[in-house]
């Protein structure tokens, strides 16, 4: 007889159920149905319908999980996903088309092509901060590439997770697309299975767990992680425009709870007070004198993250450095946009990713010194520079390593589908968006076609000096050498 604990355990999704589900999906993938253009297009169409017919419910779920303003929910989640679906549907045929490749003299006569084939059954684990977009955007790529997919949304955005499970259950082909809700236990059960690719969005600690699980099966991973995204601000710029673009990238992106939101500013000692004044002025005009009441700012996701952020703010060497904001409301999990000036490098706030509405400003003697400071830490997911100096821009692009860079704005590279989106080093590996999403979930298979004519005996034993000279001449690319070898001249 099963004990009570065993009964409880059976209610949650465990490794046995995960294994049975993967087996079903593998059989579906094995049948070949997900490979056809028709299946891929029909599933992408259905995803687009989800965004079209259920906009109000999605906005409501995001409001419930994060108090996300409708404007941000539409522009940064629903609209972005809709665009991804439309682009994939428009480009799918051309993405699927084998790509002709050049052949070389050594395989003459032959032709070659690169065939994109689906990887198989893929797992997508997503995060809470953009719980709709970050769940479905990789799904678009996985489906476009012809894979069967399991999506595991974040348990920290429960309303969106539940809605995704319901809507994908209603709209998508359940033989090949599934949603499994849950937290660590369910994700662990999923990670025990053999997948053909795992796409994980979240923090580096769990990224390491995902990669270690994937290694057991030699499964490739796409890791979309985070880091401390710096903004370097030079003098001699349009300060109002720069301030607005910093603010909208920070507080206008889920109140700073975004992987590419500015984490901190680096600027010169002289310019810092001028920048602080401009930021204060624009913040007031955007969110009013009482930002805790603003409907245009998301709340902090939960009390754990609230406690994490207030701990950063309350550290002794940091609490006196607040030059703007700092107000908080624990009952509504709200923290006002907060600017800090000259926090020490060894403070907690400068040691870990902030992921919230706090923006420290670090000062340097010369603006160029910022680049060394950035390069002395982990490679960020994004880095930003505001300047009018061409030489400084060139130096920034050449010397700063990050997932992506933007000059004179923040976060907008995410909205350019012809650019890959992903990290480097600690901020992740692999990339997606646009065609890169299709490629992230495809294998590029090399195919060479030959006929039976032109069978050169030079490649077959017995190996002779003459054959070797000919091959050396071929590899060396010297016409004279080839003629010499063909005629047996030394
Ligand atoms: P999270 O807490 O939602 O966790 C992400 C996923 O990992 C969830 O689905 C969760 O269930 C799973 N998970 C948590 N603990 C686990 C464990 N022990 N074993 C297996 N699975 C586990 O999200 P988070 O990590 O707090 O997200 C914030 C981080 O993600 C930040 O570092 C941010 O920069 C990064 N991020 C990156 C991107 C990007 O596109 N590069 C986007 C959003 C967030």
């Amino acid at each position: 007889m099963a004990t009570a604990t065993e009964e409880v355990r059976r209610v949650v999704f465990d490794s046995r159920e995960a294994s049975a589900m993967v087996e079903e999906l593998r059989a579906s993938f094995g049948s070949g149905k997900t490979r056809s253009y028709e299946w891929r297009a029909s599933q992408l169409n259905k995803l687009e319908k989800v965004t079209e017919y259920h906009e109000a419910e999605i906005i409501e779920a995001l409001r419930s999980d994060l108090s996300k303003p409708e404007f941000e929910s539409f522009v940064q989640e629903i609209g972005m996903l809709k665009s991804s679906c439309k682009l994939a549907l428009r480009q799918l045929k051309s993405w699927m088309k084998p790509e002709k490749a050049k052949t070389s003299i050594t395989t003459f006569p032959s032709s070659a092509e690169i065939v994109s084939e689906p990887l198989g059954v893929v797992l997508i684990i997503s995060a809470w901060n953009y719980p709709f977009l970050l769940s479905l955007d990789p799904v678009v790529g996985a489906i476009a590439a012809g894979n069967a997919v399991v999506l595991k949304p974040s348990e920290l955005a429960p309303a969106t997770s539940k809605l995704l499970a319901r809507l994908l259950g209603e709209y998508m082909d359940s033989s090949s697309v599934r949603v499994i809700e849950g937290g660590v236990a369910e994700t662990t059960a999923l990670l025990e299975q053999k997948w053909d690719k795992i796409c994980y969005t979240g923090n580096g600690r769990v990224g390491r767990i995902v990669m270690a699980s994937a290694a057991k099966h030699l499964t490739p991973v796409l890791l979309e992680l985070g880091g401390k995204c710096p903004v370097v601000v030079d003098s001699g710029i349009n300060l109002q425009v720069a301030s607005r673009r910093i603010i909208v990238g920070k507080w206008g992106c889920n109140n700073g709870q975004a992987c590419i939101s500015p984490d901190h500013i680096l600027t010169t000692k002289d310019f810092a007070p001028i920048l602080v004044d401009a930021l204060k002025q624009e913040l007031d005009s955007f969110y009013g004198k009482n930002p805790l009441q603003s409907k245009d700012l998301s709340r902090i996701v939960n009390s754990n993250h609230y406690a994490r952020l207030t701990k950063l703010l309350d550290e002794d060497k940091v609490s006196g450095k607040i030059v703007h904001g700092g107000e908080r409301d624990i009952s509504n999990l709200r923290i006002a946009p907060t600017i800090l000036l000259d926090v020490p490098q060894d403070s907690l706030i400068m040691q870990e990713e902030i992921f919230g509405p706090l923006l420290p400003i670090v000062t340097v003697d010369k603006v160029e010194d910022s680049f060394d400071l950035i390069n002395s830490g982990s490679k960020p997911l994004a880095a930003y520079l505001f300047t009018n100096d061409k030489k400084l821009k060139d130096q920034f692009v050449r010397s700063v390593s990050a997932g992506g860079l933007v000059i004179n704005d923040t976060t907008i590279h995410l909205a350019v589908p012809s650019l890959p989106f992903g990290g480097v080093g600690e901020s992740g590996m692999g990339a997606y968006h646009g065609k890169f999403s299709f490629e992230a979930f495809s294998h590029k298979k090399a195919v060479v076609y030959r006929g039976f004519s032109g069978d050169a005996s030079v490649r077959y034993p017995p190996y002779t000096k003459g054959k070797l000279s000919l091959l050396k001449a071929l590899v060396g690319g010297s016409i004279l050498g080839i003629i010499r070898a063909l005629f047996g001249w030394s």
Side-chain angles (χ1 to χ4, degrees), residues 155-302:
E155 72 280 20
L156 300 192
T160 311
S161 171
K162 197 165 161 210
L163 184 65
L164 285 167
R166 200 196 91 213
L167 293 178
L168 267 62
E170 274 173 29
Y171 279 79
M172 308 301 283
D173 170 6
S174 64
S175 72
S176 307
V177 181
R178 299 277 176 88
V179 178
I180 297 298
E181 288 192 272
V184 176
E186 291 77 6
T187 317
T188 306
L190 287 166
L191 286 173
E192 279 164 15
Q193 313 309 311
K194 178 175 163 50
W195 303 92
D196 297 301
K197 182 132 189 179
I198 302 174
C199 167
Y200 168 78
T201 304
N203 66 73
R205 183 186 61 79
V206 178
R208 284 167 170 81
I209 296 175
V210 170
M211 200 165 170
S213 311
K216 289 192 193 114
H217 301 286
L218 279 183
T219 297
V221 288
L222 166 57
L223 297 181
E224 290 286 337
L225 311 178
K228 290 184 81 61
C229 301
V231 188
V232 179
V233 184
D234 189 15
S235 55
I237 53 170
N238 183 328
L239 201 50
Q240 188 189 30
V241 173
S243 304
R244 288 170 163 240
R245 292 177 180 177
I246 292 169
I247 292 170
V248 87
K250 176 77 175 179
W251 296 283
C253 286
N254 202 27
N255 207 359
Q257 301 168 105
C259 56
I260 49 169
S261 270
D263 179 274
H264 57 284
I265 289 178
L266 297 155
T267 194
T268 56
K269 282 190 181 25
D270 298 345
F271 196 62
I274 303 168
L275 177 61
V276 170
D277 283 345
L279 287 167
K280 279 183 183 179
Q281 201 173 325
E282 295 307 319
L283 274 170
D284 282 353
S285 77
F286 286 1
Y287 303 116
K289 285 280 175 216
N290 188 359
L292 291 179
Q293 300 292 325
S294 173
K295 300 249 177 309
D296 295 335
L297 286 165
S298 295
R299 67 161 156 76
I300 307 306
V301 63
N302 60 26

Side-chain angles (χ1 to χ4, degrees), residues 143-163:
I143 289 174
N147 298 280
V149 193
V150 173
L151 165 66
K152 211 299 290 172
S154 175
E155 72 280 20
L156 300 192
T160 311
S161 171
K162 197 165 161 210
L163 184 65

Side-chain angles (χ1 to χ4, degrees), residues 365-386:
D365 290 333
K366 292 199 302 309
V367 73
E368 294 85 350
D369 298 345
S370 311
F371 302 166
D372 294 335
L373 214 53
I374 297 171
N375 287 333
S376 69
S378 299
K379 294 182 179 185
L381 183 59
Y384 308 113
L385 168 68
F386 286 86

